[in-house]
Amino acid sequence: MKRLYHTTLLVILALCPFALTVQAQKAYVGLEYQLSYNDNWGANRPVILTVYPNSPAAQAGLRGGDIIEAINGRETHTMPEEEMISLLQGKGGASVDLLVSNFAYHRVERHLKPIAQLADALTERDIARAFGMYSLEDESDILISYPISTGTEGKTDLINYETFGFVRTNKQHTNRDAIIEQQLTEALQALGLTYDQKNPDLLVDTYYSVSENSSYDAAATRHSAVQTSLRIDTKAHKLVELPILPMGSDKTLARFYLKFGITIYSGVNEHKMLWTSEAEELLSDDYTLTDYTALTVPVMLLQFPFTRYFNSLVVRFATHRHLSLGINYQAKNISTIHSLSLHSPAAEAGLRAGDEIVAINGRPLGTADELSKGYLAFVKKSMACRTHEQPFAIKDGPTNCRYWDSEDYARVAKLLDKDKYFGGFSYLFAFNPWITTTPRTGVTIDYLRDGVMQRVVVEPKLQESCYVTLE
């Protein structure tokens, strides 16, 4: 999988061992893709997996599942990948002409305009991701595993299928089935397919069961809390706690087995299976099937029509929210303003390139080395302020992360006020109570210009990019 996002110097504050480093990049495009070796979808061509909200790719109208057929008039199935990457990034910020296909369109034009960022500059987006442990609630890529197996049959190219309906012959159609069909309809329509029960190209069938576990050992669980797992609510973009045993758990701890499957057949030949997906869960307590499918159907269909994983899924729950002043910082001297975004709050407030920031909201900024060491010390010291419930794994980071405990918000804020932790960049998340416990109007910047200390209050703007995708 290839990601095309940042251009120039990207700060990566690795959470282990918390070293602040700088890595060169070329262009911000805002998409992830993978070359397809799947005969069912985009064979030998790049398939877009993820389009970041508000990115150049999103503005161009690109969507997840798009097959990139051609770049600047050249067919991609004959193009070396190195050349493909170079063309997609655009030379000097030049527009890139694409031909893309999906269920709802074939070989339509899309015009991609990569953002050429300034050399030697760090954006607030870069820095927010580097200091994500200030607020995992707002800046994190959380990985959630699902016990879902997926398979395809034959070499049928799904690109020519446009409509879908449901298998209903020899099957009692209950209210539960109607709810699940509606959930599937919404998910399939979001992929660009059209519902047509009379003459569908694709026939969708489901099966399910919830049964008591005969080997359940009640004595083993009597004196312990009900075991749960975190799952993703893709509509509300939040994590929810379900009475599902973590993957790999002892089966004797499960009160119930749950099985749910989706099978998609050819509408012309009802015996020709094209795609199938099945979830098998161990439940620690009773749970409504339709509540389960409401959360799980969108996740299962992340694998349709482009199937990448056959045995289990790892899904990325990406939350990227920060407050922006429009300041770009110098990579080699992070307390100095490199440049300001046009018409940004900081520019309108009178800040200039070359101003040296001393403190933000009364918290010192410091050098890159001081920031790195202070951040490491803060993370270690504040770990006790995190909830003990439901740890989760972060992409390229710790596997035992937790959100802040609401009872410790004030303690977290006090730690950030200590100069030794250099908490100036916490302004990026200052709209949340674990950063400041009192309402604050604007961000206060103390800075040096021509040796004279000055102060300005800047009203930030919220920047947000949240999505769910396969890892």
Side-chain angles (χ1 to χ4, degrees):
M1 179 175 64
K2 301 293 182 182
R3 296 181 179 85
L4 300 173
Y5 27 44
H6 298 294
T7 60
T8 165
L9 299 170
L10 171 63
V11 169
I12 298 175
L13 189 57
L15 299 178
C16 289
F18 301 91
L20 192 63
T21 61
V22 175
Q23 175 177 316
Q25 303 257 318
K26 290 184 178 179
Y28 178 56
V29 176
L31 64 83
E32 299 174 6
Y33 77 89
Q34 181 171 314
L35 284 179
S36 173
Y37 300 103
N38 185 331
D39 291 323
N40 302 97
W41 194 258
N44 303 313
R45 287 159 289 173
V47 174
I48 295 176
L49 307 177
T50 309
V51 174
Y52 303 163
N54 309 314
S55 69
Q59 293 168 5
L62 295 171
R63 297 175 53 183
D66 279 355
I67 301 167
I68 302 178
E69 308 274 12
I71 305 174
N72 291 343
R74 295 189 54 194
E75 296 294 316
T76 55
H77 70 275
T78 60
M79 187 182 297
E81 188 173 9
E82 294 78 9
E83 184 178 358
M84 189 183 305
I85 294 172
S86 177
L87 288 172
L88 284 172
Q89 289 178 331
K91 294 183 178 179
S95 294
V96 182
D97 296 324
L98 305 177
L99 290 180
V100 299
S101 297
N102 213 321
F103 284 125
Y105 41 81
H106 293 172
R107 297 183 70 86
V108 299
E109 293 183 0
R110 296 286 186 261
H111 304 288
L112 179 63
K113 178 70 173 177
I115 296 177
Q117 292 183 331
L118 300 169
D120 302 323
L122 301 170
T123 67
E124 287 167 304
R125 177 183 58 200
D126 300 333
I127 295 172
R129 295 187 180 188
F131 289 87
M133 292 291 282
Y134 280 151
S135 182
L136 293 173
E137 291 83 347
D138 298 290
E139 183 56 51
S140 57
D141 287 273
I142 297 172
L143 304 181
I144 304 292
S145 297
Y146 288 78
I148 296 173
S149 58
T150 307
T152 59
E153 185 72 23
K155 297 184 177 181
T156 303
D157 192 348
L158 297 171
I159 192 63
N160 296 316
Y161 291 80
E162 298 178 354
T163 61
F164 71 94
F166 294 97
V167 175
R168 291 175 179 166
T169 55
N170 301 320
K171 180 177 179 180
Q172 183 182 4
H173 193 65
T174 65
N175 183 59
R176 177 186 286 174
D177 293 316
I179 293 172
I180 294 172
E181 282 189 8
Q182 181 58 36
Q183 294 165 353
L184 281 160
T185 296
E186 292 176 4
L188 291 169
Q189 287 177 335
L191 295 175
L193 290 164
T194 301
Y195 174 69
D196 182 359
Q197 187 61 35
K198 292 183 179 179
N199 189 31
D201 298 328
L202 298 170
L203 276 170
V204 184
D205 195 13
T206 61
Y207 57 92
Y208 50 79
S209 64
V210 179
S211 58
E212 292 188 4
N213 177 15
S214 59
S215 59
Y216 171 61
D217 185 352
T221 60
R222 186 172 296 128
H223 302 294
S224 60
V226 174
Q227 293 196 55
T228 59
S229 295
L230 291 175
R231 295 297 170 86
I232 303 168
D233 184 335
T234 58
K235 288 185 177 181
H237 196 85
K238 65 179 183 180
L239 294 177
V240 294
E241 191 175 6
L242 301 185
I244 296 175
L245 295 180
M247 291 176 62
S249 295
D250 184 349
K251 292 184 179 180
T252 63
L253 301 178
R255 289 185 61 194
F256 303 95
Y257 285 125
L258 182 151
K259 180 181 288 189
F260 173 72
I262 305 168
T263 306
I264 298 179
Y265 300 92
S266 166
V268 177
N269 180 0
E270 295 185 18
H271 300 289
K272 184 178 182 180
M273 189 274 285
L274 302 175
W275 183 89
T276 185
S277 185
E278 182 180 88
E280 290 189 87
E281 304 276 17
L282 299 175
L283 302 184
S284 57
D285 208 345
D286 196 12
Y287 188 60
T288 305
L289 178 69
T290 51
D291 289 342
Y292 173 82
T293 56
L295 298 178
T296 309
V297 163
V299 171
M300 296 173 82
L301 289 178
L302 289 173
Q303 290 262 78
F304 182 78
F306 182 48
T307 301
R308 296 170 57 207
Y309 305 112
F310 296 96
N311 296 320
S312 61
L313 302 184
V314 179
V315 180
R316 180 160 27 113
F317 176 72
T319 305
H320 303 296
R321 291 190 295 254
H322 70 275
L323 291 176
S324 173
L325 305 179
I327 298 175
N328 301 310
Y329 295 86
Q330 287 189 10
K332 294 182 179 179
N333 184 9
I334 201 167
S335 63
T336 301
I337 296 178
H338 177 284
S339 54
L340 299 164
S341 299
L342 191 64
H343 305 305
S344 66
E348 297 292 337
L351 288 167
R352 302 177 190 169
D355 288 344
E356 182 181 346
I357 298 178
V358 177
I360 303 178
N361 288 332
R363 293 164 177 155
L365 205 56
T367 65
D369 184 60
E370 288 171 331
L371 281 165
S372 184
K373 290 179 179 178
Y375 179 64
L376 167 61
F378 166 80
V379 170
K380 290 182 176 179
K381 183 67 176 179
S382 65
M383 201 62 71
C385 299
R386 298 187 183 275
T387 177
H388 296 290
E389 300 174 358
Q390 288 300 343
F392 49 79
I394 289 183
K395 178 177 173 58
D396 302 324
T399 59
N400 204 28
C401 287
R402 293 173 172 85
Y403 291 142
W404 294 122
D405 190 322
S406 59
E407 295 183 359
D408 283 323
Y409 286 171
R411 184 181 172 193
V412 174
K414 285 182 179 179
L415 287 174
L416 282 167
D417 278 332
K418 294 186 177 181
D419 288 353
K420 65 180 180 179
Y421 294 132
F422 291 92
F425 280 125
S426 64
Y427 84 87
L428 294 163
F429 312 108
F431 54 95
N432 279 319
W434 44 89
I435 298 301
T436 176
T437 55
T438 58
R440 176 182 287 137
T441 301
V443 176
T444 302
I445 307 289
D446 293 307
Y447 64 98
L448 282 171
R449 179 184 293 168
D450 300 325
V452 179
M453 182 69 74
Q454 301 188 48
R455 171 173 289 183
V456 67
V457 178
V458 186
E459 289 292 339
K461 293 182 179 179
L462 177 63
Q463 302 292 326
E464 187 168 17
S465 174
C466 304
Y467 54 90
V468 176
T469 186
L470 286 181
E471 176 54 24

